[in-house]
Amino acid sequence: METRMVMQREQEEQSSQMSHSMQLSSQMKKRTFTSSDEEPSYSDFYPIIPADLMSVKEILDMDNFPRHRTWEILKETLAEEHHRDKWTMFGNEAEKVELDVIRNQRVLRTRVDTMAIRKQAEKKASAHMEYLERLSQKAPDFPIPLRAHTVWEGMTVTLSCTVQGCPPPKVTWFKDGVPLRMSDQPWNYSLQQRFGLNSLEIRRCSPDDAGEYKVIAKSPLGEAMTFGTLLVNSYLGALAGSECSKTSAFKHEQEAQFGNIFLPTWVTEGDSLTLQCTFTSDLLPFQQDVTWFRDGIQLHPSSNVDIRTVEDKASITLKAAHKEHEGVYTARLRTWDETQDHSAFVYVEDASAAVLGGPASPLAVQVSDVNKDYVFLTWQPPSADGASPVEGYYVERYDLRQGEWVRCNVRIQKSCHFPMFGLKEGTLYQFRVRAVNQAGVGRPSKATEPVLTADPLEHTRTMVVKVDRGRTVTITKDELEGQVKAPFPPTNVHACEVSDTYVVLSWTEPEPRGREPLTFFVERSLAGKSSWQLASLDMEVNSPRFSVFDLSKGQQYCFRVRSINKYGVSDPSEPSAPISLGKPQAVPAPPHSVMAIRDTDTSVLLLWQEPKEKDDILGYYLYYSEVGKQDWKTVNNKPVTKTRFTVHGLKNRKEYVFRVKSVSGAGNSSYSDESRPIRVKAAISVPSAPSAIALLLCTGSEMVLGWRGPARNGGDPVRGYYLDQMEGGMKTWREVNVKPAKERQFKVCNLTSGHFYQFRVFAANMAGVGKPSEASEAFLCEKWTMPEPGCPYDVEFREVRDGSLVLLWAAPLYEGRSPVTGYFLEISQGDQSDNWTALNEKPICDTHYKVSGLQAGQTYRLRVSAVNEAGVGCASLPTEPVTAESRPGAKDIEIGVDNDGFIFLGYEADETDDDSKFLWNKNYTEPIDAGRARAETNKDGSVLTFTDPSEEDLGLYTVEMSDNPDQSSSYDFTAEVIALKSGWQVEVSEQGDVRLWLQTESLSDAAELRLIFNEREITSTPHRKINFDKAKGLVEILFDQLSQEDEGSYTAQLKDGRAKNQSTLVFVDQKFRQTLALAHKKRRDHQRKSGPYFQEDLSWRVNEDCELIIKCTVTNTNKDTSLKWFKEGAAVTRVVYDQSSGVSTLTIPQVTKEEAGSFRAVVSDGRGEDVSALELLDDEYDKLLQQLSKQCALSASPLKVQSTAVGFVLYCSLKYYITHMKTSWLFKEKRIDQETRTKPGSNTEKVWIEICNPTEKDKGKYTLEMFDGKETHKRYLDLSGQVFDDALLEHQRLKQEAIAEKNRAKVTKGLPDVVAIMEGKSLCLTCFIDGEPAPEVTWLRNDKEIADQTQFTFTREPKCSTITINNVNMADSGKYSIFVRNQYGSEKVDVTVSVYKHGDKLPAHAVEMGFYA
């Protein structure tokens, strides 16, 4: 019982001590919380102890107390009260537990106190804020209200007001009492609310925008209102928004529409691209914002994109086009009611390969998973492999601070993704990729945008806390975790990227991580083993990413990571799950079922089926080739994501086949099977609408209408036309004909005289009925009785060429009171001009006319008027605008004679197919008589052969293609039917013979020739030979020696069957005299060349070594031929002559003024002599100096920098420098004038400029300009960066060496090599020394310092030192040295002293010295 009482008292004393300790801890200790919202964390093991302390027994008796095995033992120990030793053990354990409880109570109390203080502070701050808010509360008010505005239609107006109130009121806009919704017209209304200023911007004001605008501001304290009136002045005279505007009708100003548009475009990679479209008129104010899109994504101006809209034009320019820029480009124009779009595809073609047969550039390089030292790259493979398949890729990076591209992978990367490790934190990088095949490395891809390496989770470690009056406090976790010392291990180690060559590991940083920077160690082990090895080796891992490349295939690995900071290394993380290399990513399967469908005359719609496994497919590449050529070309260089694509840029009526590749990150698939061949031709569709409906005749109850056919027949000939009519005052159209009209005119019956009628026309073909034409003007049904004729109709173009065209028309159906006698034509320049100019002064009888003298490339319209005796009738409707330029593939009819002697007309066409027909006519309308000519068609064109030509066949013959009237031509078949390839030509041979000749088409063997000279027939003679080659159609007359008797006219009369022709040459006067003189000259030259002669006269040139070479070449020499050179009459002996080649040269190494003069070369032998001269004087000598200066400048080396003790020397080496070449130096594009710090100079081999005492201001680009008299040659040196630093360092080193050399201790003069002295005399040796500071002087004897001061006497002066040897004896012989030194260096000079006895001979080479003491 006493024991129990004692223990109870001890427990009470301990409880009192613990309570006192808790009170002290709550007053002394303080904890820093991460935020005001943090909840205190409690131990999971210990219970929460109340303020009044519980005993150990009570703690052990708690049912919900989490019990440890130790507690059970303690409880069992209490049950055994009869064992005293057990009680002792219990007391010890209980004491430990109580100490732990006290410690946890202290921590808990500290947290409770801190939270109570914080909540009290927050409550007080909140109450203060509420008090301030109550003080600042104010009802809504408009200090600046709305005001009225009056503007013109189309202008922009801004309605503004300012609002005040606390709390901030809600602002609502009204128009005419109705809330204003911005979503109704977002392009027209723009509402901004900022800092109490409320503004409503109304763009392109219209009368509908006029009215009363009201603004209401509401808050719990009340509301305020302001209003203003907007008046819009209409261009029709009404004032919108006022009383009078409500009764006037508003009419929109004519808006702009698309005019000339851009078509599918091809641009080479790296080149600039401009797309432009024009509009029918200047853009209205609300249309100025023309937007551009690529593949549906809006484009905005940037460093590479320039968007402009000026008046009636809009354009977009890509300064450098890349494959990523390929796609559908769209221009969007806003109209009153909607938006109009125009789109076209832009193809970006591969630039030339970096190496022959090399691959094209990859594309779409993307950067993801950016960390401190790691990024992940993906890209798409190129469409063109080159000469061999792509084997892999090289990845390059560009540090914007270093300014150079660095290759990142040694081994080529097979797949299109790559983990980039080892980057610098906080650095801007760009990346690009090159493809590799057997030929080499291809062109680089487009570089990515700069990427900054940084911690992606940095923002999650920052928290912003709001305090009073809108202020904020930013708290970072690093500041709150300052007490964390040794780091915790990371968690969640796993593989985020797995391929067949590498694994990228990822983990989560420890939490908390502490304030100090963290790095990581990565360890690995084979799965199932505990042998861990360092995987990161000596690499510093800063990010929670790490790529491992050196894993073995088929093995499984586990990885774990350790955190490191300056306090130490953490425990390892939990090992990852087993990780192994993945399987190689297989290339995708190719598509199948490739099918081509007709689209337009230059495009084909391509369809295909995607492969079954399509998950990894990025798109498709398309290829095409003409049938039979196997010349495959790439269609797109950016993968197409859909399974259909329109291929543009094909040749009309050519046959093509297509194939497709699948694209994935593993590469491109093999080619699909080829599609079936398809001929490029427009797909059959309904024809376009007819146009230009004209009234040709009216009888009072009938009207005859004519119209212009559709511009496009839809790929199938028009089969007929349908008409609708609408009577004046009605709104319903009524069919006119049920059966189609075959011609472009139709008689409408059963009409009411005096009524107005409108008509419209439909064209129909095999595909169906097209859209109707625009309604005609209202025609009055009234019988025509005017005396003038009606209007011609069916006005069409044929044979459109550069500067000319042929106009066809049909005669008017109504002739008037007398027959039509002719036609007048009028022309208007431009596509809408009404300024008409007459083409002919006298009427034209035919219904066709060739209009010449047009300006090539200009657009015209024409119209025709008929005339009779009463006068000129009304004009036809104007034609469609036509441009005077030859159509692609336009050719002319050619005439010839076949092997059977029949005359034929031939026409070739490039664009034909099985449905094409050639329509031959005479005078454009008359059919060809099958009995007189037959037409034959082949794959290249058509031939019209005359079976029995006569005068009846003479006339104008025309041909056109049935499905393409633009392919047309004509030929005027006259009596001269043998076509000439070439008229008479005159030639003179090298021997002086004269040849007259002409050539026709190939003639038959029955062809005949008559030659008439001055009205008499001639034949061959010995002096004049006549040749006639019928197969070649060649006629020639050969004169062995032309004379005055041969002057006159020559006529060749040809006949081949019934085909005839003749040609005359008038060979008289100046033409004859010039030919005669030329023949005599060539004959003399030929005779001169019978002996030795100069094949090449004397000429000069300057070679690459800046030497002057004077050269001539002689020919037709023999062993007796001699060649001599002279200058100013004196023989030149330095000539080299190679008799085998006949080349003789004189080489002058350096040109001086002495080389100016006259050079002459003479070649002669017994057969004759020839002379060649060269005047190297005046202008020719100046030209020589200019060429020499140019060659000297071309030989100049790049500028180099050489450091000296004085400064920098920038120099350029040349093979030879002459003063004629003017040089000048520039620094930063400004000329350098000679001054104390810059000294230019030159010699025969070098040009330089010396920069003394260089400083940082001398950094920059230096240029040497060398002017040779015509051109300026430049050499550059960028003296900045590392180049400047290295040069400046070398200059400073040399400067220090020069200073050291100047101040170094040295012996300037004094001691001879050998000195002889007689025994008994005294020897005095004197040396002159120099150095700064003054050097120390030491005299040595046999390399040992002289210590004996009795026999040796030393004298020291500022620049001189003397040693005297008193009473010399034989033992004093030896080597004496003076050694001088200071802080900059030392020097030692030796002298040999030879002592001889009296009467001995003086040693050789010795200087006798000495005196008696």
Side-chain angles (χ1 to χ4, degrees):
M1 187 65 182
E2 292 179 357
T3 302
R4 186 181 299 272
M5 292 291 293
V6 170
M7 292 184 64
Q8 186 174 0
R9 284 197 302 270
E10 290 179 353
Q11 289 179 2
E12 291 176 354
E13 292 176 359
Q14 291 179 357
S15 174
S16 176
Q17 292 177 359
M18 289 172 62
S19 176
H20 179 66
S21 176
M22 288 176 62
Q23 293 175 0
L24 291 177
S25 66
S26 65
Q27 296 174 4
M28 296 173 60
K29 292 198 175 183
K30 186 176 183 181
R31 184 173 186 270
T32 302
F33 290 88
T34 57
S35 71
S36 60
D37 298 331
E38 180 185 1
E39 294 294 334
S41 59
Y42 305 106
S43 170
D44 291 336
F45 183 80
Y46 297 112
I48 299 177
I49 306 298
D52 51 340
L53 188 66
M54 298 175 65
S55 67
V56 176
K57 180 69 174 178
E58 291 171 335
I59 294 175
L60 293 177
D61 291 339
M62 290 175 58
D63 294 334
N64 57 352
F65 182 71
R67 291 177 175 81
H68 192 269
R69 185 172 56 86
T70 304
W71 293 106
E72 299 296 331
I73 295 175
L74 292 177
K75 191 173 182 179
E76 292 175 0
T77 304
L78 289 175
E80 300 175 359
E81 296 180 357
H82 60 282
H83 298 286
R84 186 177 298 276
D85 54 344
K86 299 293 179 130
W87 275 104
T88 303
M89 183 181 298
F90 166 77
N92 294 336
E93 292 291 338
E95 183 179 4
K96 291 181 182 180
V97 171
E98 288 176 347
L99 290 175
D100 288 342
V101 170
I102 293 171
R103 184 167 52 253
N104 281 277
Q105 273 188 318
R106 185 177 303 155
V107 173
L108 176 62
R109 176 56 59 190
T110 301
R111 291 182 178 178
V112 171
D113 292 346
T114 302
M115 289 186 64
I117 294 171
R118 176 178 296 171
K119 288 181 179 179
Q120 185 176 1
E122 289 178 353
K123 183 177 181 181
K124 185 176 182 180
S126 176
H128 182 65
M129 288 296 296
E130 290 178 0
Y131 173 72
L132 293 178
E133 288 179 0
R134 286 195 300 271
L135 289 179
S136 62
Q137 282 185 351
K138 182 181 179 181
D141 182 32
F142 288 98
I144 302 177
L146 288 179
R147 64 182 181 86
H149 288 74
T150 302
V151 296
W152 282 98
E153 175 187 357
M155 293 177 61
T156 298
V157 66
T158 302
L159 306 178
S160 301
C161 63
T162 58
V163 63
Q164 292 180 351
C166 186
K170 180 181 179 182
V171 177
T172 307
W173 286 77
F174 294 83
K175 179 180 179 292
D176 295 333
V178 179
L180 195 62
R181 294 192 304 174
M182 300 299 110
S183 58
D184 291 344
Q185 291 180 299
W187 62 89
N188 201 30
Y189 291 143
S190 175
L191 179 61
Q192 293 185 355
Q193 296 181 0
R194 189 176 183 184
F195 304 119
L197 176 63
N198 291 260
S199 60
L200 173 65
E201 182 184 23
I202 306 175
R203 296 183 287 269
R204 303 174 297 276
C205 282
S206 67
D208 293 338
D209 296 318
E212 183 183 75
Y213 286 81
K214 181 171 61 176
V215 182
I216 296 179
K218 290 184 178 181
S219 76
L221 301 179
E223 69 177 46
M225 179 181 64
T226 181
F227 64 90
T229 303
L230 174 62
L231 303 180
V232 180
N233 287 320
S234 173
Y235 291 110
L236 298 179
L239 188 64
S242 62
E243 294 292 334
C244 58
S245 66
K246 299 179 180 179
T247 58
S248 61
F250 174 71
K251 183 179 181 181
H252 289 306
E253 186 178 352
Q254 182 63 40
E255 61 187 2
Q257 305 287 335
F258 278 107
N260 294 331
I261 55 178
F262 55 91
L263 302 175
T265 307
W266 287 259
V267 60
T268 303
E269 180 183 8
D271 292 348
S272 62
L273 165 70
T274 299
L275 302 178
Q276 178 176 291
C277 56
T278 61
F279 306 102
T280 55
S281 62
D282 289 351
L283 296 174
L284 297 179
F286 80 95
Q287 294 182 299
Q288 294 291 332
D289 187 18
V290 177
T291 52
W292 292 82
F293 299 84
R294 179 174 61 233
D295 295 332
I297 300 175
Q298 185 173 352
L299 300 175
H300 300 280
S302 64
S303 59
N304 192 47
V305 179
D306 183 18
I307 298 177
R308 295 186 180 183
T309 303
V310 180
E311 295 180 352
D312 63 340
K313 295 184 179 69
S315 65
I316 183 172
T317 299
L318 301 183
K319 299 177 183 178
H322 295 278
K323 295 180 180 180
E324 291 82 354
H325 301 147
E326 187 175 88
V328 178
Y329 283 73
T330 302
R332 177 167 295 171
L333 175 66
R334 184 175 293 120
T335 62
W336 289 114
D337 302 323
E338 56 183 2
T339 58
Q340 292 184 357
D341 291 350
H342 168 69
S343 302
F345 200 89
V346 172
Y347 298 85
V348 180
E349 298 177 329
D350 284 316
S352 57
V355 295
L356 184 63
S361 59
L363 69 154
V365 182
Q366 300 290 332
V367 183
S368 60
D369 199 10
V370 180
N371 277 269
K372 295 180 183 178
D373 58 354
Y374 166 88
V375 297
F376 191 74
L377 300 178
T378 59
W379 60 89
Q380 294 179 2
S383 60
D385 292 343
S388 60
V390 171
E391 298 177 353
Y393 304 90
Y394 282 127
V395 179
E396 298 176 347
R397 72 169 182 263
Y398 181 85
D399 187 339
L400 267 66
R401 294 180 298 183
Q402 298 180 356
E404 62 177 347
W405 287 97
V406 179
R407 183 173 293 176
C408 302
N409 53 323
V410 178
R411 297 181 179 179
I412 59 175
Q413 174 68 16
K414 299 287 186 180
S415 55
C416 297
H417 46 79
F418 184 75
M420 183 71 66
F421 186 75
L423 304 178
K424 299 177 183 178
E425 183 180 357
T427 304
L428 284 172
Y429 288 97
Q430 287 182 284
F431 303 93
R432 67 183 188 187
V433 184
R434 294 176 183 261
V436 184
N437 67 1
Q438 293 181 358
V441 182
R443 292 177 58 86
S445 68
K446 176 179 177 290
T448 64
E449 294 296 324
V451 176
L452 179 65
T453 53
D455 185 359
L457 300 178
E458 184 67 26
H459 66 282
T460 64
R461 303 184 54 78
T462 303
M463 180 176 61
V464 178
V465 179
K466 294 182 179 180
V467 295
D468 60 334
R469 299 185 181 179
R471 293 179 297 174
T472 59
V473 176
T474 302
I475 303 174
T476 63
K477 285 189 177 182
D478 292 342
E479 297 172 349
L480 301 177
E481 296 173 358
Q483 299 302 321
V484 177
K485 301 296 184 179
F488 292 95
T491 58
N492 190 27
V493 181
H494 65 283
C496 62
E497 293 286 344
V498 177
S499 76
D500 61 324
T501 57
Y502 65 83
V503 169
V504 178
L505 299 176
S506 175
W507 57 88
T508 303
E509 291 184 345
E511 182 69 27
R513 64 190 294 273
R515 180 181 302 175
E516 302 301 330
L518 277 184
T519 57
F520 304 94
F521 280 161
V522 180
E523 299 175 343
R524 72 181 180 190
S525 172
L526 290 174
K529 296 185 178 181
S530 59
S531 176
W532 293 94
Q533 298 177 351
L534 192 62
S536 56
L537 297 178
D538 56 348
M539 291 180 290
E540 186 179 76
V541 183
N542 296 319
S543 303
R545 300 287 189 280
F546 184 71
S547 51
V548 186
F549 283 87
D550 56 344
L551 301 181
S552 300
K553 293 185 177 180
Q555 295 283 356
Q556 286 190 329
Y557 297 85
C558 291
F559 295 88
R560 66 184 188 185
V561 185
R562 296 175 184 262
S563 305
I564 310 164
N565 65 10
K566 73 175 185 180
Y567 296 108
V569 182
S570 73
D571 294 333
S573 67
E574 291 295 327
S576 68
I579 299 172
S580 61
L581 292 176
K583 295 182 180 179
Q585 188 177 0
V587 296
H592 58 91
S593 304
V594 181
M595 180 174 60
I597 302 174
R598 284 168 53 181
D599 184 42
T600 68
D601 288 335
T602 58
S603 64
V604 163
L605 176 61
L606 201 62
L607 305 175
W608 61 91
Q609 295 290 329
E610 56 191 8
K612 293 182 179 179
E613 300 294 333
K614 59 181 180 180
D615 294 338
D616 297 330
I617 291 180
L618 303 175
Y620 304 92
Y621 284 133
L622 283 61
Y623 307 85
Y624 72 93
S625 171
E626 286 192 41
V627 173
K629 291 188 176 181
Q630 290 298 313
D631 181 19
W632 290 97
K633 297 180 181 178
T634 304
V635 175
N636 59 312
N637 277 310
K638 180 180 176 181
V640 177
T641 57
K642 299 180 180 179
T643 56
R644 58 185 295 150
F645 187 79
T646 302
V647 182
H648 301 93
L650 305 177
K651 295 180 181 178
N652 189 19
R653 302 179 187 276
K654 296 290 184 181
E655 282 193 322
Y656 291 89
V657 289
F658 299 86
R659 59 187 186 185
V660 186
K661 277 185 178 181
S662 300
V663 184
S664 73
N668 297 336
S669 71
S670 58
Y671 291 105
S672 67
D673 293 336
E674 295 180 10
S675 67
R676 297 181 62 181
I678 185 173
R679 186 181 298 273
V680 179
K681 190 177 179 182
I684 297 178
S685 60
V686 295
S688 60
S691 59
I693 302 175
L695 179 60
L696 305 181
L697 178 63
C698 182
T699 63
S701 61
E702 298 174 345
M703 286 185 180
V704 179
L705 304 174
W707 56 87
R708 186 185 300 136
R712 298 179 302 277
N713 61 10
D716 184 69
V718 175
R719 307 298 176 93
Y721 297 92
Y722 296 92
L723 278 75
D724 284 353
Q725 72 177 37
M726 181 171 63
E727 191 172 351
M730 305 296 290
K731 295 184 178 180
T732 305
W733 290 96
R734 186 174 62 84
E735 289 184 354
V736 174
N737 58 321
V738 178
K739 293 184 178 180
K742 301 299 183 182
E743 304 297 332
R744 291 199 303 276
Q745 66 179 51
F746 189 80
K747 181 188 292 185
V748 182
C749 303
N750 301 322
L751 301 177
T752 304
S753 179
H755 286 212
F756 285 91
Y757 293 90
Q758 284 183 287
F759 300 90
R760 64 181 184 183
V761 184
F762 302 79
N765 64 2
M766 185 172 63
V769 179
K771 293 184 178 180
S773 66
E774 292 185 2
S776 69
E777 62 176 290
F779 297 130
L780 176 61
C781 184
E782 186 178 51
K783 184 176 181 180
W784 284 5
T785 59
M786 64 270 197
E788 299 84 3
C791 62
Y793 64 100
D794 274 358
V795 185
E796 297 178 318
F797 297 112
R798 295 290 186 272
E799 301 178 49
V800 180
R801 301 289 188 268
D802 291 338
S804 67
L805 56 86
V806 174
L807 190 67
L808 309 179
W809 63 89
L813 300 182
Y814 179 75
E815 293 185 343
R817 294 182 181 177
S818 59
V820 173
T821 57
Y823 302 92
F824 286 104
L825 277 67
E826 294 176 294
I827 189 169
S828 172
Q829 188 169 341
D831 54 0
Q832 292 182 345
S833 174
D834 289 330
N835 186 15
W836 295 93
T837 304
L839 282 175
N840 55 315
E841 296 180 358
K842 296 181 179 181
I844 300 170
C845 296
D846 295 326
T847 56
H848 59 83
Y849 182 76
K850 184 172 184 179
V851 182
S852 304
L854 302 178
Q855 183 179 349
Q858 183 61 48
T859 302
Y860 298 92
R861 293 190 303 158
L862 295 99
R863 67 184 184 184
V864 185
S865 302
V867 62
N868 62 5
E869 293 180 355
V872 180
C874 59
S876 67
L877 291 176
T879 62
E880 289 286 340
V882 61
T883 303
E885 61 183 6
S886 298
R887 301 296 187 259
K891 295 184 178 180
D892 295 327
I893 295 175
E894 297 182 356
I895 190 170
V897 180
D898 61 16
N899 294 331
D900 297 327
F902 292 102
I903 301 171
F904 67 87
L905 300 177
Y907 179 74
E908 294 183 0
D910 294 335
E911 302 175 355
T912 61
D913 55 25
D914 297 338
D915 299 330
S916 299
K917 295 180 181 180
F918 293 87
L919 307 178
W920 288 91
N921 291 286
K922 191 174 182 182
N923 295 326
Y924 290 101
T925 56
E926 302 175 14
I928 302 297
D929 186 355
R932 306 198 61 82
R934 65 177 184 274
E936 297 176 351
T937 301
N938 53 40
K939 63 178 182 179
D940 296 327
S942 178
V943 176
L944 181 67
T945 305
F946 297 91
T947 56
D948 188 15
S950 66
E951 293 184 357
E952 297 180 13
D953 297 315
L954 301 181
L956 183 66
Y957 286 84
T958 62
V959 63
E960 64 181 53
M961 294 180 62
S962 59
D963 53 354
N964 188 5
D966 287 339
Q967 298 290 333
S968 60
S969 183
S970 63
Y971 186 83
D972 193 2
F973 188 22
T974 62
E976 296 177 350
V977 294
I978 296 181
L980 294 178
K981 284 187 175 181
S982 175
W984 280 107
Q985 303 291 327
V986 180
E987 292 180 354
V988 181
S989 68
E990 292 296 326
Q991 293 77 21
D993 298 336
V994 178
R995 173 175 177 252
L996 311 179
W997 64 275
L998 65 82
Q999 190 174 14
T1000 69
E1001 297 287 342
S1002 177
L1003 303 176
S1004 66
D1005 295 336
E1008 299 176 2
L1009 169 66
R1010 290 183 66 216
L1011 274 175
I1012 309 298
F1013 172 60
N1014 293 339
E1015 299 183 354
R1016 61 184 177 86
E1017 186 174 356
I1018 59 175
T1019 58
S1020 293
T1021 64
H1023 164 65
R1024 180 183 59 225
K1025 184 179 180 182
I1026 299 173
N1027 294 328
F1028 182 30
D1029 188 340
K1030 300 176 182 180
K1032 296 180 180 179
L1034 183 63
V1035 177
E1036 60 182 358
I1037 305 174
L1038 303 176
F1039 299 91
D1040 59 352
Q1041 185 171 350
L1042 191 66
S1043 63
Q1044 287 293 142
E1045 290 76 14
D1046 299 318
E1047 183 177 6
S1049 62
Y1050 293 82
T1051 301
Q1053 296 180 348
L1054 296 166
K1055 182 179 180 182
D1056 189 5
R1058 295 189 179 184
K1060 300 177 183 179
N1061 204 345
Q1062 73 176 29
S1063 180
T1064 300
L1065 170 66
V1066 181
F1067 198 31
V1068 296
D1069 299 333
Q1070 185 178 359
K1071 185 175 184 179
F1072 178 80
R1073 289 194 298 270
Q1074 289 177 349
T1075 305
L1076 182 62
L1078 181 60
H1080 288 172
K1081 179 180 180 301
K1082 289 193 173 184
R1083 188 175 298 107
R1084 286 195 305 271
D1085 289 343
H1086 179 68
Q1087 291 172 356
R1088 177 178 65 85
K1089 294 179 181 179
S1090 60
Y1093 65 94
F1094 285 93
Q1095 186 177 6
E1096 295 180 4
D1097 289 327
L1098 284 175
S1099 62
W1100 61 267
R1101 67 179 179 89
V1102 179
N1103 63 10
E1104 295 180 354
D1105 295 326
C1106 301
E1107 298 175 332
L1108 173 62
I1109 309 295
I1110 303 178
K1111 173 186 173 184
C1112 65
T1113 305
V1114 296
T1115 188
N1116 198 21
T1117 61
N1118 56 30
K1119 62 181 180 178
D1120 298 327
T1121 303
S1122 66
L1123 176 63
K1124 297 180 180 180
W1125 286 57
F1126 302 91
K1127 181 177 183 292
E1128 303 295 348
V1132 180
T1133 58
R1134 296 177 297 164
V1135 177
V1136 178
Y1137 173 48
D1138 183 1
Q1139 191 171 3
S1140 61
S1141 62
V1143 177
S1144 179
T1145 58
L1146 171 63
T1147 302
I1148 302 175
Q1150 291 188 356
V1151 178
T1152 63
K1153 292 183 178 180
E1154 297 179 358
E1155 272 66 49
S1158 300
F1159 291 83
R1160 189 166 62 94
V1162 180
V1163 60
S1164 63
D1165 59 18
R1167 296 171 294 166
E1169 177 184 275
D1170 198 10
V1171 179
S1172 179
L1174 173 64
E1175 297 292 331
L1176 208 56
L1177 296 168
D1178 301 329
D1179 293 342
E1180 192 68 17
Y1181 184 71
D1182 292 341
K1183 184 179 178 182
L1184 167 63
L1185 293 180
Q1186 188 271 326
Q1187 287 294 324
L1188 183 61
S1189 300
K1190 179 179 180 180
Q1191 196 61 44
C1192 291
L1194 293 176
S1195 70
S1197 68
L1199 284 182
K1200 300 178 181 178
V1201 59
Q1202 179 179 356
S1203 300
T1204 65
V1206 178
F1208 297 158
V1209 176
L1210 309 183
Y1211 67 93
C1212 174
S1213 301
L1214 304 93
K1215 291 186 177 179
Y1216 180 42
Y1217 173 75
I1218 61 175
T1219 56
H1220 182 270
M1221 181 174 65
K1222 306 301 180 183
T1223 61
S1224 58
W1225 291 86
L1226 288 83
F1227 175 58
K1228 295 181 179 178
E1229 308 301 333
K1230 293 183 179 180
R1231 191 172 303 277
I1232 301 176
D1233 298 327
Q1234 184 170 357
E1235 52 187 39
T1236 56
R1237 291 187 61 250
T1238 55
K1239 301 176 182 178
S1242 62
N1243 57 24
T1244 57
E1245 296 180 350
K1246 188 181 293 184
V1247 179
W1248 69 82
I1249 184 170
E1250 184 176 13
I1251 304 173
C1252 301
N1253 300 321
T1255 64
E1256 289 289 331
K1257 294 181 179 180
D1258 296 318
K1259 279 186 177 182
K1261 181 179 179 182
Y1262 287 82
T1263 305
L1264 170 61
E1265 289 187 349
M1266 297 170 285
F1267 182 64
D1268 61 17
K1270 289 186 177 180
E1271 302 178 25
T1272 300
H1273 308 269
K1274 297 182 180 181
R1275 296 295 184 269
Y1276 304 95
L1277 175 64
D1278 187 4
L1279 189 60
S1280 60
Q1282 192 64 36
V1283 177
F1284 180 85
D1285 296 341
D1286 294 345
L1288 185 61
L1289 186 63
E1290 179 67 10
H1291 158 64
Q1292 293 172 349
R1293 185 186 68 80
L1294 295 175
K1295 185 176 180 180
Q1296 293 298 324
E1297 289 183 357
I1299 294 173
E1301 180 62 26
K1302 178 180 178 182
N1303 299 328
R1304 179 180 61 84
K1306 50 184 172 290
V1307 179
T1308 57
K1309 61 180 179 178
L1311 297 179
D1313 293 336
V1314 180
V1315 173
I1317 187 170
M1318 186 181 295
E1319 186 177 17
K1321 293 185 177 182
S1322 294
L1323 176 63
C1324 180
L1325 299 176
T1326 302
C1327 286
F1328 292 91
I1329 60 178
D1330 194 10
E1332 186 65 33
E1336 299 177 3
V1337 180
T1338 305
W1339 287 91
L1340 308 174
R1341 178 184 177 187
N1342 295 330
D1343 297 329
K1344 293 183 178 180
E1345 185 175 357
I1346 299 175
D1348 188 0
Q1349 299 295 328
T1350 59
Q1351 187 181 0
F1352 300 92
T1353 303
F1354 302 97
T1355 303
R1356 173 69 187 272
E1357 296 180 6
K1359 297 291 183 179
C1360 178
S1361 180
T1362 303
I1363 182 174
T1364 302
I1365 309 174
N1366 301 311
N1367 195 16
V1368 177
N1369 55 43
M1370 297 299 294
D1372 293 327
S1373 297
K1375 183 177 73 170
Y1376 288 79
S1377 306
I1378 182 172
F1379 178 73
V1380 294
R1381 68 180 177 182
N1382 62 8
Q1383 66 186 57
Y1384 294 107
S1386 62
E1387 188 176 5
K1388 179 182 176 187
V1389 177
D1390 301 329
V1391 59
T1392 302
V1393 176
S1394 177
V1395 182
Y1396 65 94
K1397 294 183 178 181
H1398 182 74
D1400 291 348
K1401 186 177 180 180
L1402 186 70
H1405 308 297
V1407 178
E1408 185 177 7
M1409 298 183 65
F1411 60 91
Y1412 290 102

